[in-house]
Amino acid sequence: MASSVFLLDLKGKPLIARDYRGDIPLTAIERFMPLLQEREDEEGTGLPVLTENGVTYLHLREKDVYLVALTRKNANAMTLLQFLHQLCKVFTEYFNALEEESIRDNFVIIYELLDEMMDYGIPQITEPKILQEYITQESHILEIMPRPPLAVTNAVSWRSEGITYRKNEVFLDVVESINMLVNPTGNVLSSDIRGAIKMKVYLTGMPELRLGLNDKVMFESTGRTAKGKAVEMEDIRFHQCVRLSKFETDRTISFIPPDGEFELMTYRLNSQLKPLIFCECVVETHRGRIEFMVKAKAQFKHRSTASNVEIVVPVPGDADSPKFKSTVGSVKYVPEQSTFVWKMKQFQGGKEALLRAHFGLPSIRDEDPERRPPIGVKFEIPYFTTSGIQVRYLKIVEKSGYQALPWVRYITKNGDYQLRMPDPLTSGESRLPPI
């Protein structure tokens, strides 16, 4: 339960303030920036929750704007932080970008949104599509004020009634991002999978959908055995449309979906993985030059192909005169970021690719290995999941009994995917042939 919500600029000056309960003076926000700076000096990073003199400050930053909620109650911090995230999402839907200039240009509509999204400090309607039905940016020219949609007073506040489509379809994407840190010899230091199930729903009426996954907990609780691999998901977070009581009893994901595009759920799998794309790198430093040899290996099944692969290799900040030679793809030097980027449109599983790079090096210095940035890898592998998660069924039930087409797609891509650089070899240990 929030007492008030503020939008601040980077200096901590209030742009907009909305007081919901009147139990905290508005001047309390003046302590936010000094408190945040003190914590950053002590902790080295800003904490999302700060407390002083019985007042709790919950905040997040979006570009050049701070969104801050204040409370004196023993409030659910995650609920208020989630509300602030949803506030960002709504403002972005309305103004395309949440920044100081867009806030100054839209004071009136922002106050309208704050009044509708929270009442007496309790979050209310937070779905952008429902809000856009009766709070419009052109509302001042309407002769007749529109009636609030039924979804506002309905139990299903995220979907309006009366939606119709000529062709009823559901598109479901299982998107998994791989976070990984690998040392120069190929040993994985840390890894996990962050997954999201994203949907695009174009269905008539008020349909109910039931989604079944190869969930290990579900198979264990029902005493059934999985035909294939079962996965154990952690840190599951659902969209508000999912019936949590149904999921807790029989692990069935049952919901009436919002119209259009939304994120149904996210999950995490903390499992030991091998690198899908590994780069073996050799670096040689000589008087006046530095050379790289990078061998990229696609360590996934032959029938899968990675697309839009980018391998970002750091170089010294004063490197110049780049020369490149690669067996596949293209290479570009990015001096403003002190990197070169190796791009491959397609990289088939089980294949290898080789790159040689040569740079002039005007200065000679001892590089601190602790400050040597890692190699970054970007990729996307369609029709492939590392975790083995599978959609067992997607049932669509609507009282009119129409037939709908469900489409399911799997995608694996990089998250925070980093490969540490090896120690450079000296000129006396040279083993790279010239380009």
Side-chain angles (χ1 to χ4, degrees):
M1 187 179 289
S3 297
S4 53
V5 172
F6 290 83
L7 274 67
L8 312 177
D9 63 17
L10 289 180
K11 295 180 180 178
K13 181 180 177 182
L15 302 171
I16 280 185
R18 180 66 175 88
D19 189 0
Y20 292 103
R21 297 177 56 83
D23 58 347
I24 297 177
L26 293 178
T27 54
I29 197 63
E30 295 173 4
R31 284 293 305 150
F32 169 69
M33 284 306 289
L35 196 60
L36 181 64
Q37 289 167 359
E38 287 174 18
R39 293 294 186 273
E40 286 181 347
D41 292 340
E42 292 174 7
E43 307 284 342
T45 183
L47 301 175
V49 182
L50 307 169
T51 304
E52 185 181 68
N53 298 329
V55 177
T56 302
Y57 302 80
L58 302 101
H59 71 95
L60 62 88
R61 178 178 169 179
E62 179 71 17
K63 295 184 179 177
D64 57 353
V65 176
Y66 283 101
L67 292 88
V68 188
L70 274 62
T71 181
R72 279 196 189 277
K73 303 289 184 181
N74 184 18
N76 187 323
M78 289 306 299
T79 298
L80 291 180
L81 288 171
Q82 181 64 28
F83 173 78
L84 293 179
H85 279 286
Q86 196 66 20
L87 203 59
C88 286
K89 182 179 176 182
V90 169
F91 289 163
T92 303
E93 284 282 336
Y94 270 85
F95 317 130
N96 294 326
L98 175 55
E99 51 193 27
E100 184 178 340
E101 185 178 353
S102 64
I103 290 171
R104 293 188 183 279
D105 291 342
N106 295 279
F107 275 145
V108 174
I109 197 167
I110 288 174
Y111 275 114
E112 284 189 60
L113 290 168
L114 289 173
D115 285 340
E116 291 296 333
M117 294 179 68
M118 182 169 275
D119 184 24
Y120 198 59
I122 300 172
Q124 301 291 318
I125 301 139
T126 59
E127 280 296 315
K129 290 185 179 179
I130 300 300
L131 289 165
Q132 284 173 337
E133 289 188 26
Y134 67 104
I135 298 179
T136 68
Q137 290 167 289
E138 304 298 331
S139 59
H140 63 281
I141 65 171
L142 296 178
E143 295 179 3
I144 301 174
M145 289 297 292
R147 293 180 62 187
L150 291 175
V152 172
T153 54
N154 193 0
V156 185
S157 63
W158 52 87
R159 184 180 180 90
S160 299
E161 294 186 0
I163 297 171
T164 57
Y165 287 98
R166 292 181 63 184
K167 188 176 183 181
N168 294 287
E169 293 181 303
V170 177
F171 299 90
L172 186 148
D173 285 348
V174 180
V175 183
E176 292 190 338
S177 300
I178 308 298
N179 297 327
M180 183 172 289
L181 179 62
V182 186
N183 72 6
T185 60
N187 294 324
V188 177
L189 303 177
S190 65
S191 65
D192 71 356
I193 301 170
R194 300 296 174 104
I197 295 181
K198 301 180 180 183
M199 300 188 72
K200 290 182 181 178
V201 177
Y202 306 109
L203 297 175
T204 299
M206 297 289 281
E208 178 163 334
L209 275 63
R210 297 190 185 97
L211 174 66
L213 305 172
N214 55 335
D215 181 6
K216 184 178 180 180
V217 176
M218 185 274 293
F219 285 116
E220 290 177 349
S221 62
T222 57
R224 296 158 59 190
T225 56
K227 292 182 180 179
K229 180 182 178 182
V231 298
E232 187 171 0
M233 297 180 289
E234 303 175 22
D235 296 344
I236 300 173
R237 184 174 67 86
F238 288 111
H239 187 276
Q240 62 175 325
C241 66
V242 175
R243 293 187 175 92
L244 296 180
S245 57
K246 184 79 172 167
F247 180 76
E248 289 168 359
T249 54
D250 59 11
R251 304 290 285 191
T252 299
I253 303 171
S254 176
F255 57 100
I256 296 174
D259 184 47
E261 189 172 349
F262 71 102
E263 187 173 80
L264 177 67
M265 63 179 286
T266 59
Y267 59 89
R268 180 177 65 86
L269 287 96
N270 193 10
S271 56
Q272 192 69 21
L273 306 171
K274 71 173 185 179
L276 295 177
I277 296 179
F278 177 65
C279 296
E280 183 182 335
C281 184
V282 178
V283 184
E284 282 189 4
T285 56
H286 305 267
R287 182 175 296 276
R289 73 180 193 276
I290 184 169
E291 298 183 10
F292 297 83
M293 184 185 74
V294 183
K295 181 190 287 186
K297 302 177 183 178
Q299 301 184 147
F300 47 89
K301 294 179 181 178
H302 290 266
R303 64 173 179 264
S304 297
T305 301
S307 59
N308 301 319
V309 178
E310 292 187 14
I311 299 172
V312 183
V313 182
V315 299
D318 56 352
D320 59 16
S321 307
K323 295 179 184 177
F324 303 110
K325 187 176 182 181
S326 62
T327 56
V328 65
S330 61
V331 191
K332 182 181 179 181
Y333 178 41
V334 188
E336 60 272 16
Q337 297 177 8
S338 298
T339 62
F340 64 87
V341 182
W342 184 12
K343 294 184 179 182
M344 292 175 274
K345 289 185 179 180
Q346 303 287 327
F347 196 21
Q348 189 178 350
K351 298 290 187 180
E352 294 185 355
L354 192 65
L355 164 72
R356 288 289 318 282
H358 175 287
F359 290 87
L361 203 59
S363 61
I364 298 175
R365 65 191 184 285
D366 293 329
E367 189 178 6
D368 184 357
E370 295 296 325
R371 296 190 178 185
R372 191 179 302 133
I375 297 172
V377 183
K378 301 177 182 179
F379 59 87
E380 190 172 286
I381 310 175
Y383 316 111
F384 179 85
T385 60
T386 309
S387 66
I389 193 170
Q390 288 182 342
V391 176
R392 294 171 46 240
Y393 60 83
L394 178 58
K395 297 179 180 178
I396 303 165
V397 180
E398 213 277 333
K399 58 185 179 182
S400 63
Y402 61 71
Q403 294 294 314
L405 299 173
W407 304 90
V408 179
R409 181 174 62 169
Y410 301 92
I411 302 170
T412 294
K413 63 179 186 177
N414 66 285
D416 186 13
Y417 195 103
Q418 297 183 343
L419 313 173
R420 285 185 174 169
M421 292 282 286
D423 293 329
L425 303 174
T426 63
S427 56
E429 301 172 290
S430 178
R431 62 187 190 193
L432 296 181
I435 293 181

